[in-house]
Amino acid sequence: MSDPLTLNQRFVLASRPTGAPTPENFRLEREALPDLQDGQVLLKTLYLSLDPYMRGRMSDAPSYAAPVQIGEVMTGGAVSRVERSNHPKFHAGDLVVGATGWQSHSISDGRNIMPIPAGLPSPSMALGVLGMPGMTAYMGLMDIGQPKEGETLVVAAASGAVGSVVGQVAKIKGLRVVGVAGGAEKCRYVVEELGFDACIDHKAADFAEQLAKACPEGIDIYFENVGGHVFDAVVPLLNPKARVPLCGLIAGYNASETPKGPDRLPLLQRTLLTKRVRIQGFIVFDDYGDRQPEFISHMVPWVRDGKVKFREDVVEGLEQAPEAFIGLLEGRNFGKLVVRVAQN
């Protein structure tokens, strides 16, 4: 049985945002944990992952996954420690990863959690380079991008959880890699620490011109995480038979109306047709869940050998999650954003 004196802290969706989320869209609640039943485990959250897809779950617009309901715990992946177990496959002290949400504790029947790999420098890596973002980067690049040595790849949000891995794997595969990031510090990190060939600041007034100069032979693969004016600058540079893995469109997640300006759809359609460009969206676990062992078998050695580096932006305390998430959508984070809910 669980300890009746233990309280769970959880953030629920208080209201649906119009445009950018605000702190008022979230509500912190406290509840007593119920008794543990046979086949269940009591989990204590150590690290909570914050990711852009969560903005879509706050909306009730049709999407690939059901929205979070008003009053329901905010969805999210987390690394947790098993505190008590009535499940034969899990034992007290085990570290697991799963979609347990924005809360300090949870109870699971084991179907939504799995053990994390042993020997990680930090368990939180199971939420980043060895978790959903890393697998998104690997599968999108390798399966849709189909990288070939000597080609040019451009990746948006290059210092982030997905983009940083995309670029490093592309370098391992022998490509010329150009990142796009927001600000001089992020661009320096992408080139000097991650080993990209160039990184362009999308906040620069002459961003499109700088991008064109950095890609003198055009773009063969564009890994899309952003959309907006970055995509506008990329389209004219796409080579014949370019591939565009469509992972995210964070520039438009808070939009409440159609962007102003000229209709750019005809130009895009003409480019896709005449250059035979392939754009393909994907949802990583829906489309590639059965290939997770393939991803792990490649990524773990790369991380262990230092071929793939990874940066985390760690926020302390569950109570900071809403503000950190709002900042994520504004590009304030630097690296994979996680909340340390409790000490290991």
Side-chain angles (χ1 to χ4, degrees), residues 107-342:
I107 291 177
S108 171
D109 62 6
R111 288 183 290 183
N112 67 331
I113 58 174
M114 60 184 297
I116 69 168
L120 300 185
S122 169
S124 60
M125 294 178 74
L127 301 171
V129 66
L130 297 177
M132 181 271 289
M135 186 168 168
T136 297
Y138 178 85
M139 297 310 312
L141 174 63
M142 299 304 295
D143 191 70
I144 300 173
Q146 295 288 311
K148 301 176 184 63
E149 186 173 355
E151 290 187 322
T152 295
L153 173 138
V154 172
V155 56
S159 67
V162 174
S164 62
V165 177
V166 169
Q168 292 178 90
V169 174
K171 287 299 296 181
I172 291 171
K173 298 299 179 180
L175 279 70
R176 171 177 169 76
V177 176
V178 177
V180 175
E185 183 184 2
K186 290 181 178 180
C187 286
R188 278 195 300 271
Y189 167 75
V190 166
V191 173
E192 296 175 7
E193 295 294 325
L194 303 185
F196 287 31
D197 295 285
C199 188
I200 312 302
D201 183 356
H202 67 75
K203 297 179 181 179
D206 61 344
F207 164 68
E209 291 79 7
Q210 288 191 42
L211 183 63
K213 186 176 180 180
C215 304
E217 297 183 6
I219 298 172
D220 300 296
I221 306 172
Y222 172 54
F223 199 103
E224 176 64 289
N225 292 315
V226 172
H229 75 283
V230 175
F231 184 66
D232 290 344
V234 165
V235 169
L237 304 177
L238 292 172
N239 286 334
K241 296 189 178 181
R243 289 83 68 198
V244 182
L246 179 52
C247 172
L249 297 164
I250 196 171
Y253 286 172
N254 289 333
S256 56
E257 59 183 21
T258 303
K260 294 179 173 59
D263 182 3
R264 298 181 290 275
L265 182 59
L267 171 62
L268 174 60
Q269 290 177 316
R270 178 176 177 80
T271 301
L272 298 181
L273 173 63
T274 58
K275 292 186 176 180
R276 293 147 290 166
V277 173
R278 176 189 180 190
I279 298 182
Q280 182 177 331
F282 67 105
I283 307 300
V284 66
F285 288 121
D286 287 359
D287 296 328
Y288 300 109
D290 60 334
R291 294 175 64 179
Q292 190 170 25
E294 171 193 340
F295 156 69
I296 291 294
S297 70
H298 285 89
M299 192 61 65
V300 168
W302 286 337
V303 172
R304 185 181 59 233
D305 296 343
K307 294 182 178 179
V308 172
K309 300 177 182 178
F310 199 72
R311 176 171 178 149
E312 291 183 326
D313 191 335
V314 181
V315 175
E316 298 289 345
L318 180 64
E319 67 278 4
Q320 302 300 322
E323 190 60 40
F325 176 67
I326 292 167
L328 169 70
L329 297 176
E330 297 173 353
R332 282 190 254 145
N333 62 298
F334 193 165
K336 174 69 190 85
L337 184 60
V338 296
V339 177
R340 183 161 27 218
V341 180

Side-chain angles (χ1 to χ4, degrees), residues 15 17 37 42 60 77 89 95 97 134 136 221 269 278 289 294 336:
S15 59
Q37 303 298 314
L42 171 65
D60 59 2
K89 293 185 179 179
L95 295 182
V97 60
T136 297
I221 306 172
Q269 290 177 316
R278 176 189 180 190
E294 171 193 340
K336 174 69 190 85

Side-chain angles (χ1 to χ4, degrees), residues 2-9 31-34 42 84 104-105:
S2 59
D3 184 349
L5 299 179
T6 300
L7 292 179
N8 179 34
Q9 296 188 74
E31 61 173 1
L33 293 171
L42 171 65
R84 297 169 182 254
S104 63
H105 297 79

